[in-house]
Amino acid sequence: MRALVMAGVTGLLPLTLTTPASGEPEQWSTEPFAAQVAVRTGDVNGDGKDDLVSFTASGCTVALSSGSGFQPGQDWGACRSGANDSPYYAYFIGDADNDGRADAITVRPNAISSPRVRGIFVAKSIIDEAGAERFGTPTQWLDNTIAGDQGSLAADLEGDGDTDVIGLFSGVPALAARSDGTATLPLIAWGPEIRGEQATLAADATGDGKADFILVDSAGTRVVPGTANRWFDPPAQWSTTPFIGTKKTLTADLDADGDADLIAINANDVQVMRSTGTGYAAPERWYAHSFSGTKDTLTSDVDGDGDADLIAVNDNDVWVLRSQ
């Protein structure tokens, strides 16, 4: 397991309620995977399995999933708009047009070099006239400021199948740029200026199809369910257990029950608090050893079985820890 990183653990209860809920790590790629700008996952070819996508200096490289491994990286074209000249850029892979194929989404701030080139740019996943699968030319879906100075998130806010973008700002409410499948609707305030002390996430924790606002604090986790009131309802205390990954804190549906769980990637193990739809259950040890990547650690359904897996992206290979 030379690819996995090990260090000390702090901040989590060493509670084990069940046997590990995952198998052993599998090496899904033995080649270097370019991740110069960002690495993301999503089902770019619509086959039901999430793929690995790298935003590089020149475009996007895609390693398609076969369900048991990643194919060699392919050049999928100039998927991103402009060069990084601000720390507030954000990169996502999500189905912006609800056609079953995940697209490349770039969120641009007021760039230093081109101050009027801002907003959301989408490079749709297409099959071109030659029959090649790739990302099309990025087009501007929104000309407005949505890149938050406190970060940006991507999730399906309305349960309509389209990926939307949320900007988190200092001093003003969270703003949402909702996709209508062909462009982005005008910005709307989606929630108050609240943040988690340790992490701020967006995912469907309640299982109703709409993304909820997940606030990971030092002494527990609060959730604002996505309702007709958007994220303006008072946060509900879903857990009073400190649950913060020393490497990374993630959210995804690991047990295929329709609601997103909370995942703590630690230096010596992986722990999970499963969502009940109205709260988080007690922590479980999901994997009893280190599992994190030197480039990034992600969660996505790469084998197409309906539950999210963990992916460790390293300089020279990629490992997958499948949920079972």
Side-chain angles (χ1 to χ4, degrees):
M1 297 302 297
R2 59 182 173 81
L4 305 182
V5 182
M6 300 186 70
V9 171
T10 59
L12 272 181
L13 295 179
L15 180 62
T16 302
L17 296 182
T18 65
T19 56
S22 59
E24 289 300 316
E26 305 167 12
Q27 192 173 32
W28 274 41
S29 173
T30 58
E31 67 171 19
F33 188 70
Q36 299 154 323
V37 177
V39 58
R40 301 287 184 261
T41 57
D43 183 9
V44 299
N45 61 351
D47 67 351
K49 299 179 289 291
D50 288 338
D51 311 297
L52 200 58
V53 182
S54 171
F55 288 85
T56 69
S58 59
C60 276
T61 299
V62 172
L64 295 173
S65 171
S66 68
S68 58
F70 289 118
Q71 300 176 21
Q74 307 170 20
D75 180 6
W76 268 50
C79 64
R80 52 191 290 264
S81 176
N84 276 354
D85 52 11
S86 164
Y88 303 124
Y89 275 74
Y91 301 93
F92 303 108
I93 296 294
D95 189 359
D97 56 358
N98 199 13
D99 66 349
R101 299 168 65 95
D103 312 299
I105 303 168
T106 302
V107 181
R108 287 178 56 103
N110 286 324
I112 295 172
S113 60
S114 303
R116 289 178 293 180
V117 181
R118 61 179 181 173
I120 297 173
F121 291 78
V122 175
K124 292 185 180 182
S125 173
I126 62 172
I127 301 175
D128 65 20
E129 296 178 353
E133 294 184 303
R134 62 179 179 85
F135 291 123
T137 302
T139 59
Q140 190 175 32
W141 277 36
L142 175 73
D143 180 9
N144 209 331
T145 299
I146 187 62
D149 60 2
Q150 297 296 308
S152 300
L153 305 171
D156 183 0
L157 292 172
E158 300 174 300
D160 60 357
D162 297 329
T163 298
D164 311 302
V165 174
I166 307 100
L168 305 178
F169 298 89
S170 300
V172 298
L175 297 179
R178 295 163 296 155
S179 169
D180 70 358
T182 59
T184 298
L185 298 172
L187 296 181
I188 182 173
W190 206 259
E193 188 205 358
I194 54 174
R195 307 284 179 270
E197 295 169 356
Q198 300 294 328
T200 303
L201 308 169
D204 181 16
T206 58
D208 65 352
K210 300 177 181 178
D212 310 304
F213 204 30
I214 303 168
L215 310 171
V216 182
D217 299 324
S218 300
T221 302
R222 297 170 293 158
V223 173
V224 184
T227 66
N229 200 31
R230 303 188 288 277
W231 289 344
F232 284 102
D233 293 323
Q237 192 75 45
W238 272 38
S239 173
T240 56
T241 300
F243 195 79
I244 306 142
T246 60
K247 292 285 189 179
K248 197 170 185 180
T249 305
L250 302 168
T251 183
D253 184 6
L254 287 174
D255 52 8
D257 64 352
D259 42 40
D261 311 301
L262 205 58
I263 308 158
I265 307 295
N266 299 301
N268 287 349
D269 70 358
V270 177
Q271 295 196 29
V272 171
M273 288 201 305
R274 302 196 206 202
S275 170
T276 66
T278 57
Y280 288 117
E284 306 172 45
R285 178 168 285 167
W286 204 254
Y287 182 62
H289 304 285
S290 170
F291 188 83
S292 63
T294 57
K295 285 187 176 292
D296 209 344
T297 308
L298 309 167
T299 180
S300 198
D301 183 12
V302 295
D303 57 3
D305 65 353
D307 51 36
D309 313 295
L310 295 176
I311 306 104
V313 182
N314 299 290
D315 294 310
N316 295 309
D317 56 11
V318 180
W319 291 76
V320 170
L321 184 64
R322 299 202 216 191
S323 294
Q324 297 183 350

